Amino acid sequence: MTTSNLETVLSAEDVRKSFRVGEREIEVLHGAHLELRARERLCLMGASGAGKSTFLHVLGLLEQPTEGRVQLQGKSAWELAMSERAALRNRHIGFVFQAYHLLPDLSALENITLPARIAHSYGTVPFDKKLHTSEARDMLERFGLKDRINHRPNQLSGGERQRVAIARALILKPEIVIADEPTGNLDTATGDKVLEILFNEQSRRNASLLLVTHDERLAKSCDRVLVMVDGQIEADSEVMIPQ
Ligand SMILES: Nc1ncnc2c1ncn2[C@@H]1O[C@H](COP(=O)(O)OP(=O)(O)OP(=O)(O)O)[C@@H](O)[C@H]1O
Ligand SMILES: [Mg+2]
């Protein structure tokens, strides 16, 4: 897919992020930028410690940058009030973590429908128990988890947990899915199955996917690849993958 003519759905400009560690302030992102375009699959690579997860958290509106802007839905998201930003994130971004981050006391089904309940509390999307439960069930069925609906996370394998986490990220039909090494904790065969599910869902929903991975093979199945080096997107690192 040639993506340069597609509209931008999420962008970061000159993002800086520092962490205070003891007495010291350590800058991890030094002016990172990125544009995610409609329907594309964008891969972000780079050495461990380069700042990929930190950048994804800023882009996913989970972690505030020290400086810089993130644009989503025509808004400078980090300049909004916290509740407005949370509602924007909840509605438009699905985030998949390497370590799943499911809530241990909720069943697979309850974990998946949780963002819909939260959206209801923000007043953005009414929680329709029947509809959202049926959509969650449909996804569990498509993902091969029909018999795991009432399982808690600790009763699921890693690959099953990640499939539940993907369904949770997708329940509100976000146009942006951000995944930070979604197969990083899985063996190759299980990881391949999880990716197939993620890619299939992205296609059927026409969503944009921003994916961090260390896997060159996986990067080859993306539309574009960017490389992060020491807290910046390396100039000239954009690689278009011939399909
Ligand atoms: N909360 C924090 N406090 C202090 N330093 C942090 C914090 N989070 C991240 N860092 C530092 O920021 C740098 C970048 O971390 P980050 O997790 O973004 O790297 P990464 O590119 O995702 O690496 P990996 O490929 O291993 O996941 C690291 O040096 C890390 O120690
Ligand atoms: Mg990381």
Side-chain angles (χ1 to χ4, degrees), residues 11-32:
S11 69
E13 282 166 52
D14 206 15
V15 167
R16 291 173 183 273
K17 174 73 187 172
S18 302
F19 292 107
R20 177 167 285 283
V21 181
E23 298 283 282
R24 291 178 59 207
E25 186 93 356
I26 299 173
E27 192 175 86
V28 170
L29 299 178
H30 313 291

Side-chain angles (χ1 to χ4, degrees), residues 4-165:
S4 54
N5 55 346
L6 298 173
E7 70 176 292
T8 297
V9 292
L10 178 70
S11 69
E13 282 166 52
D14 206 15
V15 167
R16 291 173 183 273
K17 174 73 187 172
S18 302
F19 292 107
R20 177 167 285 283
V21 181
E23 298 283 282
R24 291 178 59 207
E25 186 93 356
I26 299 173
E27 192 175 86
V28 170
L29 299 178
H30 313 291
H33 64 90
L34 179 148
E35 283 188 4
L36 179 67
R37 298 172 193 145
R39 300 185 295 285
E40 78 169 335
R41 194 176 290 165
L42 176 59
C43 180
L44 180 61
M45 302 190 81
S48 184
K52 303 178 300 297
S53 294
T54 307
F55 195 30
L56 248 54
H57 292 161
V58 171
L59 278 157
L61 309 185
L62 296 168
E63 191 143 39
Q64 179 151 27
T66 316
E67 279 178 47
R69 275 152 52 96
V70 173
Q71 288 278 130
L72 170 64
Q73 293 284 308
K75 293 177 177 154
S76 181
W78 284 107
E79 285 165 31
L80 300 173
M82 194 162 73
S83 59
E84 207 183 332
R85 181 170 52 255
L88 198 67
R89 175 182 66 222
N90 169 255
R91 181 72 194 79
H92 298 284
I93 299 177
F95 207 106
V96 180
F97 300 89
Q98 178 174 347
Y100 330 122
H101 290 315
L102 298 172
L103 293 188
D105 295 333
L106 299 186
S107 68
L109 188 76
E110 290 163 343
N111 264 288
I112 296 170
T113 54
L114 187 63
R117 291 176 188 273
I118 292 171
H120 185 86
S121 74
Y122 290 138
T124 50
V125 181
F127 181 60
D128 180 334
K129 190 168 182 191
K130 216 167 144 193
L131 173 77
H132 287 117
T133 301
S134 130
E135 281 177 356
R137 282 175 181 276
D138 285 352
M139 278 195 277
L140 284 169
E141 195 163 336
R142 275 208 300 285
F143 299 178
L145 294 176
K146 203 167 118 206
D147 303 326
R148 301 287 185 276
I149 287 173
N150 293 314
H151 283 52
R152 300 255 172 97
N154 68 2
Q155 298 169 321
L156 297 170
S157 72
E160 290 169 346
R161 288 182 206 188
Q162 195 58 305
R163 280 178 273 170
V164 170

